[in-house]
Amino acid sequence: MTQTKRNAALVAVTAVAFGMVTPLAVAVEQAPALDWKKCAGSTLDPRQQCATLEVPMDYAHPGGRKIQLAVSRIPSENPDARRGALFLIPGGPGGSSLNDPSNKGQRLPQEVRNAYDLIGFAPRGLAPSTSVDCGLEHGDLALSKLRPWPAADGSVDGNMVTARRMADACAANGGELVQHLSTRNEARDLDRLRAALGERKISAWGVSYGTYVGSVYAQLFPARTDRFVLDSNDDPDPTKVSRAWLAGHEQGVEDTFPEFATWAAQPGNPYRLADTAAEVRPLFLRLAERLDREPIPWPGANPEELNGNVLRQTMLDALYDTDNFPVLAELMLAAQSGTLPPAPASPPAAALQNVTAVGAGTLCNDVAWPASAAVYEKGVAESRAKFPLTAGMPRNAMLCAAWPYAPKEPPVRVTDRGPSNILLVQNERDVATPVSGALKLREALGRRAVMVTVNSTGHGSYLRNGNACGDETVSRFLATGQRPAADTYCR
């Protein structure tokens, strides 16, 4: 895995027979035309075009201050077969799809690229759209800080202090825009983009957090949805929202770690950790506990030591993609020997600051988090007892526990009201969006959706970590509208 890919993955954390298609009539709604120009960047497909869309910062006062959204497109490769626009909705919050028409969009089958203009965007708050920055301390940008790993003894006191410090920084440095970052507003922005494109309806491929954005869009604007693919699905529980996503990691790790253990015990593996898969889990737990007591200096890293929580965070990151398994195994072997590899390069600080601010604003503005340490103490204790690999982190306090702004609107409740035009695709083993949470979205959508569960491992299914059966099912739906008649399992 290249360092560039690792950096891209790090920024993103901090953030499933083709036939004829029928062109879809465009909207009669009037909207300012986008001024498409050549995109900056030598690595992009030369066909990709870029533009800027102006939207209200505060939809409650649409005549007030405006912000800019950076958007992109690659037009349909066969205008005679064009159906409409396919919005590529990124994960995060804090992810961008601005370059996706040139990148993952080009992995789409020809029939799909013929049917749609591929549309990318940088969500509100994320550069090069009008951007936000919390001005966080360098130490608070460490992933082992951004994920709320408790102290070695399970205490959450330090997490509450960190939450207050980070929330205060966002209040001091985030400006007015940080108060208007939310999933509702992202969905509204997408509908403004739909209108600016002159489309009556849009199709979408949303991944991870993008499945929640897509679900919210489909709830707020059901008549404006065409074919929606939701890939690696978030639990839409309106009482918890992002708290449920964080909590999902405990089951996601349990679902996925056995795959790592099997790989790490294979004969001939240069990173082999044990003779049998059954030995890998206790080995990891013992090593993490030892590093809690005796961290190893790691100059240049953030923090500058390998402690138990840094190892746990490395484990979490590695389980996102089987290609990352060697990163965790190599670090475990090094820790056992006491000689660490060079510290991994960090993404640019400005990018991390921006992604973190967008993530914080969205997570904290979507739903109110408990402010009481006692709530997190109870949750962490229960989680540590049942899910030792994640050590209580999934039920702990993020900076939202000290967020100074009350949500401006209630969370969206996703329901089955609207057209039946949604296809969910879900890997069976997904550390970030486990199948248990995806089933809750499936239940909420009811008759609107069909779900394809794929016997694969990793975060992101369609054209990434899934399998041929799942990929063909999703491609067929996007190209022809044909879905399975009922929920399906792809072996």
Side-chain angles (χ1 to χ4, degrees), residues 160-290:
M160 297 300 290
V161 171
T162 297
R164 171 59 62 192
R165 181 175 62 250
M166 294 175 70
D168 286 350
C170 287
N173 304 312
E176 189 178 1
L177 179 54
V178 82
Q179 302 178 51
H180 296 282
L181 303 175
S182 71
T183 304
R184 275 187 186 264
N185 282 341
E186 183 169 335
R188 290 169 176 139
D189 291 344
L190 294 185
D191 201 55
R192 288 288 181 119
L193 178 54
R194 173 202 60 78
L197 291 168
E199 299 291 336
R200 182 169 60 86
K201 296 183 178 183
I202 60 168
S203 294
W205 173 17
V207 181
S208 191
Y209 167 68
T211 66
Y212 185 61
V213 176
S215 299
V216 168
Y217 185 93
Q219 185 67 35
L220 298 181
F221 308 104
R224 298 172 186 171
T225 60
D226 187 20
R227 298 171 183 168
F228 266 49
V229 171
L230 304 181
D231 174 353
S232 306
N233 298 276
D234 274 323
D235 181 346
D237 184 346
T239 66
K240 293 183 178 179
V241 193
S242 47
R243 289 182 63 212
W245 309 339
L246 186 67
H249 282 92
E250 56 190 19
Q251 187 60 56
V253 167
E254 291 295 332
D255 293 345
T256 310
F257 192 88
E259 295 295 304
F260 170 74
T262 298
W263 171 88
Q266 288 176 351
N269 182 349
Y271 301 102
R272 193 179 190 194
L273 294 172
D275 292 333
T276 66
E279 296 174 275
V280 175
R281 180 188 179 102
L283 172 65
F284 176 85
L285 291 171
R286 287 194 305 269
L287 182 57
E289 290 170 1
R290 193 193 89 193

Side-chain angles (χ1 to χ4, degrees), residues 60-333:
H61 301 94
R65 179 184 164 190
K66 302 297 192 293
I67 59 174
Q68 307 296 314
L69 295 183
V71 300
S72 63
R73 75 172 179 183
I74 290 181
S76 158
E77 296 182 22
N78 182 355
D80 292 336
R82 184 185 184 278
R83 180 177 181 85
L86 179 67
F87 281 35
L88 307 174
I89 307 179
S96 172
S97 65
L98 194 62
N99 293 340
D100 282 355
S102 290
N103 297 329
K104 79 174 191 177
Q106 296 310 300
R107 300 201 301 268
L108 289 162
Q110 187 67 55
E111 292 85 347
V112 177
R113 289 183 280 122
N114 288 346
Y116 300 100
D117 298 345
L118 304 180
I119 306 298
F121 62 99
R124 60 170 49 210
L126 191 70
S129 297
T130 304
S131 62
V132 295
D133 187 324
C134 286
L136 299 176
E137 296 179 8
H138 173 71
D140 288 336
L141 292 172
L143 279 179
S144 55
K145 275 289 188 69
L146 294 174
R147 302 279 186 174
W149 298 99
D153 62 358
S155 168
V156 306
D157 292 344
N159 302 103
M160 297 300 290
V161 171
T162 297
R164 171 59 62 192
R165 181 175 62 250
M166 294 175 70
D168 286 350
C170 287
N173 304 312
E176 189 178 1
L177 179 54
V178 82
Q179 302 178 51
H180 296 282
L181 303 175
S182 71
T183 304
R184 275 187 186 264
N185 282 341
E186 183 169 335
R188 290 169 176 139
D189 291 344
L190 294 185
D191 201 55
R192 288 288 181 119
L193 178 54
R194 173 202 60 78
L197 291 168
E199 299 291 336
R200 182 169 60 86
K201 296 183 178 183
I202 60 168
S203 294
W205 173 17
V207 181
S208 191
Y209 167 68
T211 66
Y212 185 61
V213 176
S215 299
V216 168
Y217 185 93
Q219 185 67 35
L220 298 181
F221 308 104
R224 298 172 186 171
T225 60
D226 187 20
R227 298 171 183 168
F228 266 49
V229 171
L230 304 181
D231 174 353
S232 306
N233 298 276
D234 274 323
D235 181 346
D237 184 346
T239 66
K240 293 183 178 179
V241 193
S242 47
R243 289 182 63 212
W245 309 339
L246 186 67
H249 282 92
E250 56 190 19
Q251 187 60 56
V253 167
E254 291 295 332
D255 293 345
T256 310
F257 192 88
E259 295 295 304
F260 170 74
T262 298
W263 171 88
Q266 288 176 351
N269 182 349
Y271 301 102
R272 193 179 190 194
L273 294 172
D275 292 333
T276 66
E279 296 174 275
V280 175
R281 180 188 179 102
L283 172 65
F284 176 85
L285 291 171
R286 287 194 305 269
L287 182 57
E289 290 170 1
R290 193 193 89 193
L291 291 170
D292 284 336
R293 299 188 306 270
E294 303 170 3
I296 302 172
W298 203 3
N302 187 13
E304 290 201 333
E305 65 178 24
L306 175 60
N307 56 41
N309 284 340
V310 171
L311 182 68
R312 295 179 184 102
Q313 181 63 49
T314 303
M315 177 267 295
L316 185 66
D317 296 341
L319 297 185
Y320 271 67
D321 189 321
T322 56
D323 287 347
N324 297 347
F325 285 179
V327 176
L328 174 59
E330 182 180 23
L331 188 59
M332 290 177 66
L333 290 168

Side-chain angles (χ1 to χ4, degrees), residues 16 108-109 112 205 231 425 460-464 466 470-471 474-475 478:
V16 196
L108 289 162
V112 177
W205 173 17
D231 174 353
V425 61
S461 182
Y462 181 47
L463 305 180
R464 184 173 179 185
D471 290 351
V474 175
S475 295
L478 287 173

